[in-house]
Amino acid sequence: TGDFDRFYPTSVMETGRDILFLWVTRMVMLGLYATGEVPFKNVYLHGMVNDAHGKKMSKSKGNVVNPLEWTERYGTDALRLALTIGITPGNDGALSEKKVEGYRNFNNKLWNVARFILDKAGDDYSPSSPKVKSLADAWIVTKFSRENAAITDAIENYRFSEAGERVYSLLWNDLADWYIEASKTEANLDALVYGLETILKLTHPFAPFVTEAIWQNLPWQSRNLISEPWPEAGERHDSKTIQFEAIMALVSQIRTISSDLKLSKPTLLSKDDLINENRALIKRLARLGEIQPIEASRGLRVPGSVAAWLDIPDADIQNYQKQLASRRSETATYLKKLEAQLQNQAYLKGAPASLVKETKDRAEAAKLLLLQLDEQIKASQ
C-alpha cells in the first residue's frame, strides 16, 4: 500500500501511439473502476522508430538495427540524443547510424569545451558569480538566460525535441564557436565556468552519463550533478548583447567573403566606434591582418549594419560579383524546382512525411539564401 499511495495517481504516462486504444484507454477505465481516480493526467505518445529511409523496421526487409551495437560504438548518450532530437510527439522518426554518430560528435564537443575551461581554471579555482567585463560576457550571460527559460518551458510542455535542439545549438554554436573563441582575446574565467556548469545541467536530461562524468572532474564540485538544482534564468544585458550580435554578423560576413575570394588576413577599413573599440576581438574572430580606422574610399563594402570595407583590388570585387550572380541564379533555379515539387499533389500524398518535410526545409533554406545573396550583391555594387 505504501507504493500505491506514493505512485498512484501519477502525472505522465509515456507510451507508443500504436497502443493508445489497446492499452492506454483500458488503464484509464480500470483505474477509474478500481479507485475512482484516473491513473495519470497526461499521456505522452511517441512515434515508431523507423530506419534511415523512414521505412518501418522488419526482419523480412533486413532493416532492423541492434541499438546495443550502436551504444557500444558511439555511447548510450549519443543514441538517447538521436532518439530525442528531430522526433516530435506522435510522429514516427527515422533513425540512422549517421545521426547517432553525429551526436557522438556533440558529446566529444562537450568534453573538449570542458577540457579547455578546466585547463584555464586549474585545481585551485573557486567559482563565483560571473561579472560582465566585455560585450562577449554580456552576450553569453544573456544568451544562457534566454535559452534557459526557453529550454525549461519546452521540457515542461513535453517539447523534448525542441529543448534538445536548443541545448545542441547553445553548446556548439554559442558557447564553443563564439564565446570560447572570443575569450581567447580577453578571458573571463568566472563566465567560462558559469557557461560550462550551466550547459552541463541543461544537457543532463538528454545525455546523463557524459555530463555526470564531466561534472565529477570539476575540482570545486563535491555533489553529483543529478542532485544539483535545475538552473534558473539569470540577468540580461540587452543593449550590450545587440552590440556583440552586430560584431558577430560583421565577422560572419567577412569570413564568407574571405572564403569565397580565398583572402588571407585582409585589411578592414572603418571609422565605426564599435569596430575600433573592439579591434583585437574582431581582428581575431574575422582572421584579419589589420584594421585601419579610416573612412573607406576603396574596397568591398561588408554587408550589414556596421559601416566597414575590405581593402581588396577592383578585380577581386568584380570576380566576387560574378560569383554572387552565379550562385543567385543557381539558387533561384533550385528553389523553383522545390516549389514545383511541393505543389505536386501526387508527391505530397505519395512521399513519406519525413521526405516532404525535408523538401519544405530545403525550400525555406533556399529562400533565406536568396535574401542573403541579394544583400551581398547590393553591398558589393
Side-chain angles (χ1 to χ4, degrees):
T1 58
D3 285 346
F4 179 81
D5 292 337
R6 180 181 179 189
F7 294 112
Y8 192 98
T10 188
S11 57
V12 182
M13 163 60 70
E14 190 278 343
T15 188
R17 63 169 175 78
D18 54 327
I19 58 171
L20 175 61
F21 296 106
L22 292 173
W23 179 238
V24 177
T25 54
R26 296 185 183 193
M27 293 176 71
V28 172
M29 294 190 323
L30 181 60
L32 283 169
Y33 174 78
T35 70
E37 290 186 273
V38 294
F40 34 78
K41 296 179 180 179
N42 298 290
V43 180
Y44 182 92
L45 298 175
H46 65 252
M48 305 297 292
V49 180
N50 295 327
D51 70 8
H53 305 290
K55 302 293 185 181
K56 186 177 180 179
M57 293 187 189
S58 168
K59 289 183 179 179
S60 62
K61 294 179 181 178
N63 63 345
V64 177
V65 299
N66 184 350
L68 294 179
E69 293 180 1
W70 286 357
T71 58
E72 180 69 24
R73 196 172 304 150
Y74 303 111
T76 303
D77 284 340
L79 182 61
R80 285 172 62 99
L81 286 159
L83 288 169
T84 302
I85 300 177
I87 300 179
T88 54
N91 293 317
D92 296 346
L95 181 66
S96 66
E97 185 172 4
K98 185 177 181 180
K99 185 179 181 183
V100 179
E101 182 181 6
Y103 288 111
R104 187 273 311 273
N105 296 339
F106 170 84
N107 292 330
N108 288 343
K109 175 69 78 170
L110 195 55
W111 271 108
N112 291 336
V113 166
R115 289 192 187 99
F116 174 84
I117 295 173
L118 283 169
D119 285 345
K120 292 283 186 182
D123 295 334
D124 300 326
Y125 175 76
S126 179
S128 61
S129 299
K131 295 180 176 59
V132 170
K133 300 177 182 178
S134 67
L135 294 181
D137 295 343
W139 172 77
I140 198 63
V141 169
T142 302
K143 190 73 177 181
F144 266 94
S145 178
R146 291 174 179 170
E147 290 303 304
N148 189 348
I151 291 165
T152 302
D153 178 74
I155 291 175
E156 289 176 346
N157 289 282
Y158 311 110
R159 302 193 309 272
F160 303 120
S161 176
E162 177 191 334
E165 288 172 356
R166 286 182 175 275
V167 167
Y168 186 101
S169 179
L170 187 61
L171 169 72
W172 201 294
N173 299 329
D174 301 322
L175 183 59
D177 285 356
W178 283 105
Y179 185 67
I180 284 182
E181 286 305 309
S183 74
K184 293 175 182 177
T185 301
E186 183 181 356
N188 183 337
L189 187 53
D190 289 332
L192 284 167
V193 171
Y194 161 79
L196 174 60
E197 290 189 343
T198 306
I199 199 65
L200 288 174
K201 292 177 181 179
L202 294 173
T203 309
H204 190 61
F206 307 95
F209 298 104
V210 65
T211 50
E212 188 69 69
I214 294 172
W215 189 268
Q216 298 300 323
N217 279 278
L218 306 182
W220 56 87
Q221 291 293 348
S222 57
R223 302 198 315 173
N224 292 334
L225 175 57
I226 196 170
S227 63
E228 285 289 312
W230 187 253
E232 297 181 358
E235 59 184 9
R236 301 188 183 188
H237 306 271
D238 292 333
S239 61
K240 291 183 178 180
T241 294
I242 290 171
Q243 288 181 288
F244 188 74
E245 287 175 347
I247 290 174
M248 291 169 64
L250 175 72
V251 168
S252 296
Q253 291 286 0
I254 294 172
R255 287 177 178 175
T256 298
I257 295 170
S258 296
S259 175
D260 288 344
L261 294 180
K262 297 179 174 57
L263 303 178
S264 177
K265 295 185 177 300
T267 296
L268 187 70
L269 310 175
S270 179
K271 289 184 67 176
D272 191 280
D273 291 339
L274 181 64
I275 292 178
N276 289 298
E277 289 169 5
N278 297 275
R279 290 162 60 88
L281 174 65
I282 295 171
K283 184 177 177 180
R284 178 182 180 84
L285 293 179
R287 306 178 191 99
L288 296 169
E290 294 292 338
I291 296 179
Q292 295 182 6
I294 60 173
E295 191 72 54
S297 57
R298 63 187 184 278
L300 177 65
R301 176 75 155 83
V302 180
S305 59
V306 181
W309 291 258
L310 285 171
D311 189 11
I312 58 179
D314 290 342
D316 287 341
I317 295 175
Q318 292 172 4
N319 182 37
Y320 180 60
Q321 291 170 336
K322 291 178 182 178
Q323 288 183 30
L324 292 176
S326 176
R327 287 176 61 193
R328 194 197 185 287
S329 176
E330 292 173 1
T331 304
T333 301
Y334 179 58
L335 177 59
K336 189 175 181 180
K337 179 182 176 182
L338 293 174
E339 289 177 335
Q341 262 188 309
L342 293 172
Q343 291 172 1
N344 185 334
Q345 293 302 315
Y347 172 75
L348 295 177
K349 292 178 181 179
S354 59
L355 183 59
V356 174
K357 182 181 182 303
E358 182 180 343
T359 304
K360 290 179 179 178
D361 290 342
R362 288 181 177 178
E364 289 301 315
K367 289 178 184 177
L368 179 60
L369 179 56
L370 275 180
L371 291 174
Q372 293 172 343
L373 288 170
D374 285 340
E375 183 183 9
Q376 291 171 336
I377 289 170
K378 183 178 178 181
S380 69
Q381 293 173 345

